[in-house]
Structure formats: C-alpha cells, structure tokens
Amino acid sequence: MNPNQLKQLFDDVRRRKLSPDEAVEKLRHLPFEDLGFANVDHHRALRAGMPEVIFGPGKTPEQVTEIFVRLAQGENNVLATRVSPEQARAVRRRLRKAEFHEAAHALTLTQETTVYGKGNIAVVSAGTSDIPVAEEAVVTAQIMGNDVQHVYDVGVAGIHRLLARRDLLARARVIVVCAGMEGALPSVVGGLVGVPVIAVPTSVGYGASYNGIAALLGMLNSCASNVTVVNIDNGFGAGYVASLINRLP
Amino acid sequence: MNPNQLKQLFDDVRRRKLSPDEAVEKLRHLPFEDLGFANVDHHRALRAGMPEVIFGPGKTPEQVTEIFVRLAQGENNVLATRVSPEQARAVRRRLRKAEFHEAAHALTLTQETTVYGKGNIAVVSAGTSDIPVAEEAVVTAQIMGNDVQHVYDVGVAGIHRLLARRDLLARARVIVVCAGMEGALPSVVGGLVGVPVIAVPTSVGYGASYNGIAALLGMLNSCASNVTVVNIDNGFGAGYVASLINRLP
Amino acid sequence: MNPNQLKQLFDDVRRRKLSPDEAVEKLRHLPFEDLGFANVDHHRALRAGMPEVIFGPGKTPEQVTEIFVRLAQGENNVLATRVSPEQARAVRRRLRKAEFHEAAHALTLTQETTVYGKGNIAVVSAGTSDIPVAEEAVVTAQIMGNDVQHVYDVGVAGIHRLLARRDLLARARVIVVCAGMEGALPSVVGGLVGVPVIAVPTSVGYGASYNGIAALLGMLNSCASNVTVVNIDNGFGAGYVASLINRLP
Amino acid sequence: MNPNQLKQLFDDVRRRKLSPDEAVEKLRHLPFEDLGFANVDHHRALRAGMPEVIFGPGKTPEQVTEIFVRLAQGENNVLATRVSPEQARAVRRRLRKAEFHEAAHALTLTQETTVYGKGNIAVVSAGTSDIPVAEEAVVTAQIMGNDVQHVYDVGVAGIHRLLARRDLLARARVIVVCAGMEGALPSVVGGLVGVPVIAVPTSVGYGASYNGIAALLGMLNSCASNVTVVNIDNGFGAGYVASLINRLP
Amino acid sequence: MNPNQLKQLFDDVRRRKLSPDEAVEKLRHLPFEDLGFANVDHHRALRAGMPEVIFGPGKTPEQVTEIFVRLAQGENNVLATRVSPEQARAVRRRLRKAEFHEAAHALTLTQETTVYGKGNIAVVSAGTSDIPVAEEAVVTAQIMGNDVQHVYDVGVAGIHRLLARRDLLARARVIVVCAGMEGALPSVVGGLVGVPVIAVPTSVGYGASYNGIAALLGMLNSCASNVTVVNIDNGFGAGYVASLINRLP
Amino acid sequence: MNPNQLKQLFDDVRRRKLSPDEAVEKLRHLPFEDLGFANVDHHRALRAGMPEVIFGPGKTPEQVTEIFVRLAQGENNVLATRVSPEQARAVRRRLRKAEFHEAAHALTLTQETTVYGKGNIAVVSAGTSDIPVAEEAVVTAQIMGNDVQHVYDVGVAGIHRLLARRDLLARARVIVVCAGMEGALPSVVGGLVGVPVIAVPTSVGYGASYNGIAALLGMLNSCASNVTVVNIDNGFGAGYVASLINRLP
Amino acid sequence: MNPNQLKQLFDDVRRRKLSPDEAVEKLRHLPFEDLGFANVDHHRALRAGMPEVIFGPGKTPEQVTEIFVRLAQGENNVLATRVSPEQARAVRRRLRKAEFHEAAHALTLTQETTVYGKGNIAVVSAGTSDIPVAEEAVVTAQIMGNDVQHVYDVGVAGIHRLLARRDLLARARVIVVCAGMEGALPSVVGGLVGVPVIAVPTSVGYGASYNGIAALLGMLNSCASNVTVVNIDNGFGAGYVASLINRLP
Amino acid sequence: MNPNQLKQLFDDVRRRKLSPDEAVEKLRHLPFEDLGFANVDHHRALRAGMPEVIFGPGKTPEQVTEIFVRLAQGENNVLATRVSPEQARAVRRRLRKAEFHEAAHALTLTQETTVYGKGNIAVVSAGTSDIPVAEEAVVTAQIMGNDVQHVYDVGVAGIHRLLARRDLLARARVIVVCAGMEGALPSVVGGLVGVPVIAVPTSVGYGASYNGIAALLGMLNSCASNVTVVNIDNGFGAGYVASLINRLP
C-alpha cells in the first residue's frame, strides 16, 4: 500500500464510501509492511553514500556482470568483493569504468565522489600475507567516501616498525587492524591510540592457527578496551563499520 | 495506537477535522507495530491452549512465586520448568492448586483441561538417568492438552526391551525420544515408525560424552529421515513442538 | 518364513503331523524376523506415498542410473538427491520422464500424484546462497505429495522483507527455514507463527561460520519454542519431516 | 630521562662540556622510552573523561577498597566492574559517595559530569537474563559521559516488541546489543539502523549454547554489515567502545 | 507371549478352536519379541559369570542399597562402581559381606568364585593419579573371575621403570593401560607385547589436557596396532572387555 | 653385540683373557639394546602369522613396489593398505601373485595359509558407504589367518535387517562393527552378543558428522560394555586387534 | 641383576660351573633393565642440582608432609608446587626451614645453594593476575640455582611499560613470559631479544579466553621465531626448562 | 633520524643555531624510533649468524627468486622454507650456489660457515612420514652454524629402536623431537636426557589425529618437565630455537 493508496482510503472515508469502522477493518488487514516502506525510505536516507555491494563467490562471471550492470544504473557507487580476475574481466567488458583492485580482489564503480568521512581511517596489517584483507577494507572505505591511509607489515615481533608509524595512527579517527597468526597487533595498536579499533582476524598462518581461530580468539580477548572484532578475513565489514563511524556527525 | 484510536482518525477525516493528506501523514509517522497488534491478536488465537511458561533457573523463590501468581490470574495453564524444590514450595504456599512434578523439576497449574491433541504423544527414554528430561517433555505435553504415554529405560544395548514396546510406539502420532551417551535411540525408533520423531540429547554420560555433545551429534546425523533435534536437555522444547504437531487439524 | 509357511505350520498341527510342543519348538528356533516381515508390511502401509530415495555422492553416473531405473519399476515416486549434472544426464538418457531440478541438485520421477499433505508447507530461505538447500526441501516435499510455497531471500538484516510475507507464513501448516551464517531466521519465523518450524542450518558463510556450525548452534539455541533442527545442509530431511507432519490426519 | 635532563644535555653541549659526538653517544644509550613518556602525556590528553577502571574478580574486598580509594584521589571518575556486594560494601564504608549498581555488578564514583557524548547510546538486550551484561554497558557509558537509553527484553522470537521501539533505535548514534542463546538480535537491529552496532554475546543459555559460543559465532557471522563484536559478557568493553565512538567530534 | 501361551495357541488350532488362518493372523499381530525371550535365555548363557552392575553417581545411599540388596538375591556377583564412602557404608550396613574397594571407589559382593579367565590380565597405570581408574579395572576383572596383576607408576618419562616390568607384561593374555596427560603409555606397552591392549584415557592433568581429551586423542592415534580405546576414566569398561577377551575359549 | 660376540666375551673369561670384573665392566658399557635383540626374537615368536604391513599414502608407486617386493622375500604374508589402483598396478607388474582388493583399497600377498584364528570374526557395516573400511578389516583379518564373515548394510534405522542376521553374530568369537553418521550400530550389536566388539567410526556422513567425530564420540559413549574403539576409518587396526583376540589360545 | 650377580655369572664361567653357551643363554633371558640401572646413575649425574618435586593437588596435608619430609632427607632441594596454605602449614609444622611462597603457591626447602645458572633468567608477566604463574616460574628457577629477575604488569596494550624495561630483558640469557587473555606478550618480547623465550599461557581471562586456549593458540602461532610454549599455567615447567637452558655450559 | 642527523642537532645547539629548549622540543617531536635504530644495531649484534629467512608458500617462483637474490647480496646465509621444486629451480637458475634440500622442502645459500653452536643438536623423528619436518629443523640448525645429528624412525611402539640410539641422545646439548599421531616421543626422549627438548607436533596421521592436534595436545601435556612445544609442522622454529640455545655462551 503506497501513500497514494492510503490517501485513497481516507478519501473514501471522507466521501463516505467507507465508514470509519470499515476503514479500520480494511487497514487492519493490510500488510503493514507497506506502510513500512515509508520507514525504508527514511532508512534509505541514512544509507546515503552507501555502496551497492555484491559478494562474488559462487556466482558465474555472467551473474556478477548482470547484477553489477543493473546496480550501476542507480546513482550509488558499486562494490563487488572477493571477485576473481575472470569475474572482473567479464564486468569490465561491459563497464569500462569499473576498476579492478587486484590485491583486494575487489571491483568498484565510482559514480559519486562525496567525502562522507569526517577524518582519516587508518588500515594496518601485521604481515604482507594479510594485505589482501587489509586492501579489501581500504577499497571499501574509499568507495564509501573516506580518506584512507594504510600501514602494512608492522607485526608485533618487530615492534619498532609499528612505533615508527605512530604519528599516522595518532591522526586517525578510527583504525582497522588486520592480523593472522597470533592476532596480537590490535591490542598493541589499541594501547597506542584513544579511538575505536576494529580488529580483523585473517586466515593467515598454519598448524594451530586453524585458519584464523587463534587470531580471532586473541582479538576477542584483547586487553585493550577499544577493540571490537569482525569475522575472519572480513575486510569488507571492517571497512564498512569504520566508514559508519567516520561519517558520524 | 489501538483500534479505537485508529477509528478516531477515520472519524476525524470523515468530520473533516483532518484532510486525507494530513491523515496519511499522521498514520505514516505512527509506529506501525501498533497496527501490528491486530496480528498479535490473530497470533494469539493460534496460541489457544498454550501455557504461560516460566524458566526457573536464576530466579529467587520469591521471583518465581510473583511471576507464577500473576500469570495464574489469566485463564491459561501455567508451567514453570527447571524449578527447585524451594521454588516449588514457595509457589505452593501461595497457590495450593499448583502441582510439583518432582522428577520433571516442573511446577504446573491446570486451569484449562481441553484436549487439543488429535492423538497420542509417546515419550521414550534410553536410560533411567534420562527420565528427568523425558518427564519435562511429558509434563509439557500434558499441560498443553495431550494424551501422553511414556516408555522408559529402553536403550539400544538391550534392543529387545524397545521392540517389546513397539505397539505403543506404533500408536503414537508423534514421538519424543530422550537419550544421552551415544544418543542412538532416536535412529532406532525412527526406523520403527512412520511419524515425526523429536530427539532430545541429554547431558547424561561422562568423559567423551561432553555433557551431551556426543548425543547431539549422533542425533543430528541420524540415518533415520524422520528425526529432528532440539537442544541438549530441552525436554520442554520437545514436548512443546510435539504438542504443536499433535494439535494440527 | 512367510505367511504361507506359517499357515503350513498350523496346518501340520491341525493335521497332527506336529504336536503343539513340537510346533512351539520349531517356531521358537525360527528367525523371528521372518515374522517381522509382517510388521514391515504394516510399516510399509505407513510408508504410502513415501518416495524411493537415492543419495548421489560417491556413486558413478552408471550406478545412479542402475539404481534409479530399478526403483522406477515400482509404483512409488523416485527421488535422487545431491545429483551432479552428469549423473542426471545419465539417468535421463534411460528415463526421459525423470526431471532434473538444477537448483536443488535433485532428480525426480513422478509416478504417483496423490496429494498427501493436509495443508501448505512453506519453505523459507535467508539468502540467495541458501536456495539450493531450500530447493532440496521443496522438491522433497513436492514429490511426497504436498503443496509447497517458498519465500526466499528474507534474511533477518532486512526484517521488512520477511514481515511483508507474513500472510504466506500464517497460512502454512508447517514451515522449513534454511539459513547459513548466524542462522537467526528460524527464531524470527518461529516467533511469527504458531506451527512447527524445522530449521536447516546451511554451510553458507566463511570464517567463523565454520561451514554451518554457527548456524547450527544458533538454531539449537533458538529462543522460539517451536523450532527443531536437522543436520547442516539437510534440505531433504527437513522436507521429509515436514511432509510427515503435513500428512498427519 | 625527563625533559629537564634532556635540556641539561643540550646545555652541556652548548657549554661545550660535551662534544656533539659524545652527546649523540649518550643519547643513543639512553632508554628511549623516557622520551616516550611525553607521548604518554599526549595520549593522556586523548584519555580525558576516561574513567579509572578496576576489575573486581580475584581481589579481596580490602584490595578493591584500597585501589578504589587511591584512584578516587585523582579527578577522574572511577568504575569497578564485576564487583560483589561484599566488595561494594567495603568500598562504600570508606567512600560514601561511591554508588553500587546492583544489576550491573558495578561500583562507580562520579567526580566529573562533563557530557562527552555527541548523541545517544542505545543499549538493547534480548532477554531479561541478559540485563546484567547490558547494565554493565549502560553504567560504563554513563560514567564516560554519555546519554544512554535502554531497550530490554526485545528478543527476536517476538519481533513486534523490537519493532515497537524502532524510534528509540533510530535516534541513537551508536547501539550496543546484548544477547545470549542464538545471538540473533544484533543482526535484526543492525538491519533497522544505519549506525554502528556493537554486539555483546552473553553466556545466557544452556546445552549447546556453550556459555556464549553459539551467540558469539552468530554475531561474528552477522549478515548485517554494521555489526562488530566484543568478548562474551563484555558489557564493559561494549560500553567503552560505544563511548569512544559517541565522543568522536 | 511366553512359551505356555504359544503352546496354547497351537493347542487351540489342534482342537480346532482356531483355524490355521486365524492362528497365523493372531501370531502375526503378537509382539514378536516375546518369542525373542528364547534368544535372551540363550544370550543369558553367554552371560554366565557376568556380574550385576550398579552405577553409583546420582543415586542416594538408600537407592544404591535397595538395588544392591535386590541384585544380591540372585546368584551372580554384584559390582557397584563410582560409589561414595557414604553409599558404601549404607550398603554394608545391610550386607556385611559387601566389600568396599576404597581406591577403586567400588563395592563388590562375591557370591561366585569360578575362575573364568584363561590367563592373566595385566593392569598398568602411568602415574599414581591414574590408580583409581586402574583399580576400577582391577576390581571389575577380579569380580568377573580373572587373575589380575597390576603395574603402577610406570609412565613413559621414566621408561626404565616400565622396561623393568616387561616380564609381567609378557605373561599377560590381555593388558589394560590407564594414562592421563599425554596418554602415551599404551603405545609403548603395545609395542612390547603381542596381545590386545585396552587403553583407558584418564582425566588426570591440567590446562591443555582438557580432562582427558589429550590422552584420548593420543590413544586413538596410537602407532601400535594392537591398541583399542574406551571412554575417559572408564576403568570398568576396560576391565569388562579384558574379561570377555580373557575368557574366550 | 650379537650372541656370537657375547659368547666370545664368556670365552675370554673362561680363557682368563678377561677377569670377571673386567667382563662386568665391559658388559656394563655395552649398549644394552643388543641384548635386547634376544627379546625381539622372543617377541618375534609372538608375531608368527603377523603380516608385514605397508601404509600406502604418500608413497610413489615405485616406493610401494620396492618395499613390497623386499618384504615379499621373507616368509610372511604382506599387506599394503590404502593403496591406489596405480600403486597396485605397479606392484603387480613385479609380483603377479599379489592380489588387489579394490573395495578395501588393499593389496595382499599370501605366502602362508595357516589358520591362526580359533573361531570366526564377524565384520559388520552400517551402510554401503562404510564398506571400504569394513573390507579393510576383512582383508586384514584374512591375511592374518582368520575365517571372516561379513554382514553389510544393517544400519540401526532398519533394525530388522540386523536382527535377521543375529545367528551369524552369535557364532562369532569377536566382532568388528563399522559405522559412520551417528555410529550407533556397535551399541546395538554389543547388546546382542557376549563377545568383544571392536567399533570403527567411519568418516561417512556430512555436515555435523564432522568426518567421523559424531560416530567416534557415539562409540566411545556406547552404553554396551563390550565395545572398544579404534581411530576413524581404521579398518586395518580393527582387523588386526580382532585377529589377536581370535588367536588367543 | 645387579653388578654383583653379574660378576657371579662371570665367576661361574671362569670356574667352569657354566659353559659360555649356558652363560649367554642365561644372560639372554635376564631382564636387561637391570643393567640399565647403571644408565640411571649416569642420568642422575645429569640431574645434579635438580630439585625433588611434589605436585600438591589431590594430596592431603598429611600426604604432602610425609613425602616432603622423606625427600628432605636427601641432599637435594625440595619443591612442592600448587600447595594450599593448609598443606604448607602442615609441612612447616614438621620442617621449620621449609619456606612458603604465597603468591607462587609453592613450598621450598633449600639444602643446596650452588649457582648452576650461567646468566640471568627474566620472568615477565602481562598482567597482575598472571603473577601466580610467573612466581611459580621464579621460585622453580631459584631453587634450581639461578639468578632470576622479574618484570610484571607489562601487557601489550601499554607497550611503553615493556619498552621501559628493555635493558633488563636484554641482559637475560633466557626469558619466561606469562600471559593470559590474547597471549600476545611473548611475540613482542621475542622480537626485542635474541635469546630463547619460553611462553606460558595462563588461564587468566573470561568468555572466549576459554581458560587459556586463546593465549595458548596465540603463543603457538607467534610470529617471533624464538618462542616455544608449555602447557597452560605451567609456570613450573617454564622455570624448569629455563634452568636447563641457563645451566648449559 | 640517523646518527648524522642527530649529531647535526647537537652541532646546531653548539653553534647556537638552536637553543637547548628548542632542541628539546625538536627532539621531543621526532619519531623516537629513529633513535631506536641504535637499539636495532645492538640487536643486530645478537643476530650475528642468523640467516635471512623466506617463507615460500603463496609466493610465485619469480617473487621467491627476487627476494632470495636480494637477501643474498648481504653477507648472511639465506634460508627459504616450504619451497616447491618450481620455486627452487627458479632461484637456482639465478644463483647456482643455492642448494635445494628436497626432503626438507628448503633452499639454502651458505655464505658464512662459522660454527656458532657450542655442542651437538640432535633431531629425532618418530616415523618416516615425519622426516620432512625433521629435515627442516636439521637444515635450519645447520645454516645457523650447528653440528646436527639425526635419529629417524624411532617411534615409541618400538622402544628398543630409540634405546639403541641413547648414546647419541646423551651427547646432545639440545634435542628436537618431531612426531605426529599420538606425539608421545618427546616424553620418552625427555625422560632419557637432562637437556632441553623441543617438541614439534607434525600433521602426520589420519582420523582423530586432526592434522596434528592429537600430537600437539600430547606434547603440551608431556609428563617430562624438560619439554617445550612449537606449532604443528614448525620444524624451522624448532631448529631456530635449538640454535639459539646451542649458541648460548
């Protein structure tokens, strides 16, 4: 039931085609979610600057292309994550402006360049193997209208490398930290700054790392109070939440 | 917004105190869930014969008593599960008609005796240690208006004991099977009948039973296709779903 | 020992070829399971409308074909689950009437079209990736003689999509809900209806979803009391139990 | 080496008591962390409005009292979490102004009442058993200078209860959601709003809830992209991060 | 249906009170397991020398006493495992001849002293903390009519202690090995002998021993091919199976 | 030090080339394991009829062939387990008499045909997918000189199939039971017989079977006291231990 | 067979009471481990300075006292770990010189004060709650003759506290690091030094720390290559190995 | 800020271009880690004889080659671990002197042959399948300047094989023990020697070995006090720590 239909209902009451009781009854049996779409609109307002997002795995290059092209017809930016080179090539054959971020395994289409972020987002990774996850966070935050800086390969076993970049960390409004193996980096970073830190465990490691469990548990038990955690390898989620935080007025 | 208020809105439109546009706007900004209560009423109709339920653990005897007495003021039956003898005594001091089922650790107040069930529910347990969970299912199904029969201590290591009760199983419309340790009984029962079997893993066992994990996994992997599973020791849930199934028209 | 042989035994007693004691002794040493076949027959009555079922994985296309064709010689419907396109092609080369359900990875042969279900079965899925499991439930329920309706892509993070389909849910006699990731959908659906809900965790997700463990645990701990659970990705089992429930007289 | 000492070094060079080479050498062998204390000061600036925090478990009432009283001598607010009634009584015997929050198991001393938060923080709980964790988040956020609103007992199995409070959620700048059992509430809340949601799994539940693992995994796998997660029962951490987010300029 | 009833059936046929067809029909609907009791008798023959067994935990001293006394009225030996001193005292007040084995937490009544075992059973334990489990195996094997020898405190970190007892091991017909912590002893013992070794993981240890998981996994992965495993702390089961093996003719 | 060298030592003493003290000293510093070889010989006596065993995985066809041919030069039977068709072909090109057991993935060379077993070994499997593991047990027991009978596809969900083969089970001296999924079969078989049952969990199943964990835990928690367990899919180990038991004099 | 008996054997050969062949045969059947005792002596030499060790849990105060007093009669130092105050009091009533280390839950008797360690051992702890485990390592290393220094409360979330103590770390020959929660400290310490680091996960934490699993996994996956790990809370083991390393010549 | 720049600062003060206060301020805002490089130099001294290390997995042959060649330009030895034959070939095409250790999957370049180790390192493996991990430890220890001896295929099920090599073990200054399956070997070795033992669990095994978990847990729970543990399959780490221990002065 869209507003027009709703107005019709009131018109009918006014014109006495319907008694108030009949109108109540009629309204009562309407799917209330139609009214709810108003709320969705309101909600959509909140979503200004949010990209349309496609999750690549399990889709054929054709399917990714079809969805990507359809979403590109709106005015939002478009982001496809965990995209294979084949999927990327297929989309770019149709949409030359789409950009493939190889390290991030991400494909973006930038149609809106408003800067929504109020400050910088820093994305930190412990090792070079964590970079794909970190880059996914970077690309996500950028497509959502943020200034992003990255600090890579500053794992805790060489703490001076991290300390050397402390100024960059100190300037960030929110920080994403990606780490595999023991997942200790978010605690150290969290202790150096006074802003929210979003920790991303990565599946980097072998043996008792159990594809990221060790890092995940480490981060959940961080002794730094400003750390929250997202799913293993979920660079997108970290970049997304960091963007939401950074755009808070 | 209750129906009366809603009717007032339409009256106002009819009386031209409000234009249709104003009414639409007003309605639009109402919390739609108020309309939703109509659905709740409808839903409540489905809930006829459903008991009011209290979960005992973590509440003082006084708290259990207070909630129990308040719920008893409605017309529904009342069921309190995982009730300690102390909690039961406290309630019964106020409500003499409340009945304590010691084996089931359950307290009931029967205010309605309609039989909602279309057939029998059979509750089966593997060992004597599983009886408390089984009795919780029995009491739940009874307070929800079902004829319930139980078959206890028919574990799979003495298969003849189970086979000797096959007629009782064959007469049931739905069967609840409680078992700890290896949790194999639901598969065997499931193979003997053609009706739904609800499996309840119990925390009975020691060592590698891991408080019911072994039984839970066994039941989830049942080779009998008519078996579904509820949480460990969740006799209440099994009795509840069995009642829903048994009352299907 | 079939009934004829058994009758012969009694005839021999009647004709005094055997004394009652001799007959008792003879009967005693017979494998009792031969008598048991009577029970199987009785059991088989319960199984009217049950399909013959083949589990595809680990079988060559030739093996699937051979079994499928043999089962097709009976009068029952035939259902093969988790069938690869190759297996499906091999069967259909021999049995043109066999139908391949690509999304469900299922192959069916419909030889009987009796409607056994007393009402509708609703099959709900959280995301598009859960559809193969949901479709397996749909195909299973259909081949077992049920009217099935499906509601897809109504995950809990966009609750209005689910609420918009509440009427369809309200009309169902039993509901199957398939969800991966956090597996929250069955709880929400369970709270909206008063009928049994069968939850199917799917292996959809990554990282800490652990191939369906997160969803499985979530469903076992559902705060909705009308939810029971089957194994991860077990759409067949859910459709099967839903059919048993729906055919209860 | 404090700034005075450092200045002395330069003075010595200026006065030619030390050659530049000697000074470099001397500086080189100083523990660089002394310079680092300047950073700590800078860092401390960031910490304005941060409470001093005591973790109660494993400490005697005397130890808690001693630490609490000492911290109270600064100008910051003081917060003790997971405090037993005995510990609280012991502290309050010495510091009458300390306030015990029974439901939150927290003890606070308010010495500074600056409002640091830019907007509202909403704290949501699924069931009544989750309230202690939720209250810990509330108390933490309040002592850190935030306006906090709470919405309790709005679990997903009765979705209308949550929807009825949607306006309150829509007004929040950041939301904390506490849930045990299947931990589904953060996904639903996350889908209703466009702000960061911090999910706190609680150890509420039994059987396969495994003291919060089910809820934890559910939240990590949330299909809502604006959800991050803290440790099981870590209401403090959630309130702390929510405060950091809410105070971002 | 006992044999007498069955004979009556044949008598009725002989006397033409029943036609053969009627008899077949009647027999057909009888619970076949009644015939099955003949098999039970046969099975019971196999059970000669098997003790009646009571599992102590979860029973009141009165319940243990009642069951123990009733079982004592048969001719079999009686064994109660995991019996507390209180339970033992209660039984012995009624049955002076019952013997309490304090280390084994077991209570026995010896009414039959036949030696069923064909050879020796050796029971080996790694540490002194494993002795209660080992003693349970010893008592079980003794009450089942076996010569039992024990070798305690011969853990693998002092391999010479084990090697010094190799002769005793070499004389055994079957060996039970109890070990906690890393559970390595069964592999070493298994490599020294050519007879079956039954490994019992114990819950002895701390930290990453996880109450016997480490030992259990170690034993399941034994590189000695003659090792089988029972549940954690299941000394009874090991003694029982060892007895079955030792009595094989 | 071989026996000849040892005799030389005594000769030297006799011939007074060495004093007894010198001889003691010399002996003392000898690696005692040389004496130990005597024990190995003794041990080897116990190993009469034991096959030489090769574990196939991780070896090239050439490596398997080389080892197999070398072992074939002794007088023992030779058994290679988990052998691929390629490995088998390579061996058989060199040793025509080697026999490949396709279902068991095993390759055997029979050079000795003594029957060491005193009775029958029964090998039981729950489903057809468990047959490869069961066949590995069969082949192992046969090559070790046993009469073996198998009973396949008698899972607990169709209990009459198992009961129909009860006579065969009753005649066995030891029984191997292979089952995946819920792993319930050993408990039922264990309850039907009075001999040792060796349970082999198989990795058959999907979802929450976790490659055999469900079956393994089920078997460890068997309520039948005559069940011991080996590693997942370890048909060889079960056949080996069954052979040791069956050859006990 | 002790050396005297062995000499007797050679005497008999010399005196021709035994032929060399008979002597070889006799020697062959002797338990070789008697000769092995010589090795034990040799081994004991290695054990110079090793304390006698008692593990307190599960022993009565009387048992601890009895063992402690008996061991005190040798010349070695004596160490009892995980000792309760009651156990300590009981021992000290008999042995006034025994010293109770309250924080370490350890009881020591120093009878030998040789310094075996070649350098310093540093014991580091992340939080104050980790101190009992750290102190157990300290006491163990001291009683084994080492100079020990400790650095407590230098967790990674306040990295400057650790860096401020870098000199002390740089002077150590081997370092023990105790940490609970995320267990990140060993990686950071490992990166700062070039000597072996022994990591001790502690059970400090709550929720997803799982009594030390998070810390254990973190340490096993340390990105610092000089880290090895002992069991959770195993301060004794860490102190013991550190001592072995520190005494290497 | 390198030393030259630092000296410039002091020069400026001396030349009165800067006042001491200005210099303090300037120094204060410098990234202190630049001073820290002095510490790194010091640290580097400790690192004498440490190889440059490359971790092969996830890198293309070209990337490995590029890094290897660059590191080879220094004076240190170079070690690449987990290198595929393709990666090795690519490197060796550029650097003929690089040596591929096939069993160890390692590639080394020896540019420095100083013996840093003070004694022998023994590397022990339980089975032949553990050899790749053991060889990684051997190659690592050799490239770091140690004399290494290995003892392979001495698993605990044939204990005489290990005892026969006891002399070699007794001569080692530190021992690395690699074992999969039940991981029992380190405990036995640890009991035979008085030096540090570094245990390496390997992923060798199947079923309940869970890719090394069984071995890992076994080793963490070792009853030998001189055992520490590294990650599953981490032969490099074990060889590295053994080298650090062995070079202690």
Side-chain angles (χ1 to χ4, degrees), chain E residues 182-184 187 213-223, chain H residues 181-183 208 214-215:
Chain E
E182 77 267 64
S187 294
I213 294 184
L216 171 61
L217 291 181
M219 292 170 180
L220 286 168
N221 288 288
S222 176
C223 50
Chain H
M181 301 176 77
E182 77 266 64

Side-chain angles (χ1 to χ4, degrees), chain G residues 29-75:
Chain G
H29 289 94
L30 283 171
F32 66 79
E33 63 283 356
D34 286 348
L35 290 173
F37 271 101
N39 293 289
V40 171
D41 287 340
H42 170 64
H43 186 70
R44 184 148 303 191
L46 279 176
R47 293 191 64 244
M50 296 296 165
E52 306 290 343
V53 183
I54 304 164
F55 186 66
K59 300 197 176 69
T60 64
E62 293 71 34
Q63 289 173 324
V64 172
T65 303
E66 182 187 8
I67 304 172
F68 201 102
V69 168
R70 195 178 64 239
L71 294 177
Q73 289 161 0
E75 296 171 0

Side-chain angles (χ1 to χ4, degrees), chain B residues 156-157 159 163 181-182 184 187-188 191-192 206 208-210 213-214 217-224, chain F residues 156-157 159 163 181-182 184 187-188 191-192 206 208-210 213-214 217-224:
Chain B
V156 298
I159 200 72
L163 296 178
M181 301 177 77
E182 77 267 64
S187 294
V188 179
L192 293 175
Y206 63 92
S209 80
Y210 295 122
I213 295 185
L217 291 180
M219 292 170 180
L220 286 168
N221 289 286
S222 175
C223 50
Chain F
V156 298
I159 200 73
L163 296 177
M181 302 176 77
E182 78 266 65
S187 293
V188 179
L192 293 175
Y206 63 93
S209 80
Y210 296 122
I213 294 185
L217 290 181
M219 291 169 179
L220 287 168
N221 288 286
S222 175
C223 49

Side-chain angles (χ1 to χ4, degrees), chain H:
Chain H
M1 175 176 254
N2 58 34
N4 285 344
Q5 291 176 301
L6 195 58
K7 196 182 152 195
Q8 184 64 44
L9 190 71
F10 284 106
D11 276 341
D12 289 352
V13 171
R14 197 181 196 180
R15 290 166 188 167
R16 312 231 161 177
K17 293 188 179 172
L18 282 173
S19 72
D21 281 330
E22 285 166 341
V24 165
E25 201 56 23
K26 205 160 183 180
L27 198 55
R28 194 183 202 135
H29 289 94
L30 283 171
F32 66 78
E33 62 284 355
D34 286 348
L35 292 172
F37 272 100
N39 294 288
V40 171
D41 288 339
H42 170 65
H43 186 71
R44 183 150 303 192
L46 280 176
R47 292 190 67 243
M50 296 294 164
E52 306 291 343
V53 183
I54 304 163
F55 186 68
K59 302 197 174 69
T60 63
E62 292 71 34
Q63 290 173 322
V64 172
T65 303
E66 180 189 10
I67 304 172
F68 201 102
V69 168
R70 195 178 64 237
L71 293 178
Q73 290 160 359
E75 297 172 359
N76 289 338
N77 292 334
V78 185
L79 166 64
T81 61
R82 305 201 180 191
V83 165
S84 69
E86 289 73 22
Q87 292 172 326
R89 270 196 296 274
V91 173
R92 298 195 65 245
R93 238 174 268 128
R94 289 274 297 280
L95 266 176
R96 285 258 64 98
K97 283 169 41 188
E99 188 180 359
F100 185 47
H101 308 261
E102 195 169 352
H105 306 300
L107 190 72
T108 57
L109 178 73
T110 307
Q111 308 197 112
E112 181 203 24
T113 56
T114 316
V115 174
Y116 289 92
K118 305 289 183 248
N120 289 328
I121 295 175
V123 176
V124 184
S125 87
T128 54
S129 307
D130 304 314
I131 289 178
V133 176
E135 278 293 302
E136 190 182 275
V138 166
V139 169
T140 300
Q142 285 174 334
I143 202 78
M144 288 174 76
N146 295 281
D147 286 331
V148 186
Q149 260 126 356
H150 63 79
V151 186
Y152 291 167
D153 200 16
V154 291
V156 298
I159 200 73
H160 62 279
R161 294 177 300 179
L162 178 68
L163 296 177
R165 309 299 296 277
R166 204 154 67 166
D167 277 8
L168 189 151
L169 299 178
R171 282 194 302 270
R173 205 166 178 247
V174 53
I175 301 178
V176 172
V177 183
C178 307
M181 301 176 77
E182 77 266 64
L185 189 57
S187 293
V188 179
V189 170
L192 293 175
V193 301
V195 296
V197 170
I198 300 165
V200 192
T202 74
S203 55
V204 168
Y206 62 92
S209 80
Y210 296 121
N211 295 318
I213 295 185
L216 171 61
L217 291 180
M219 291 168 181
L220 286 169
N221 288 287
S222 175
C223 49
S225 301
N226 50 349
V227 174
T228 60
V229 186
V230 296
N231 197 357
I232 297 165
D233 288 338
N234 189 7
F236 164 71
Y240 190 95
V241 174
S243 300
L244 289 186
I245 294 175
N246 195 32
R247 67 167 53 188
L248 284 177

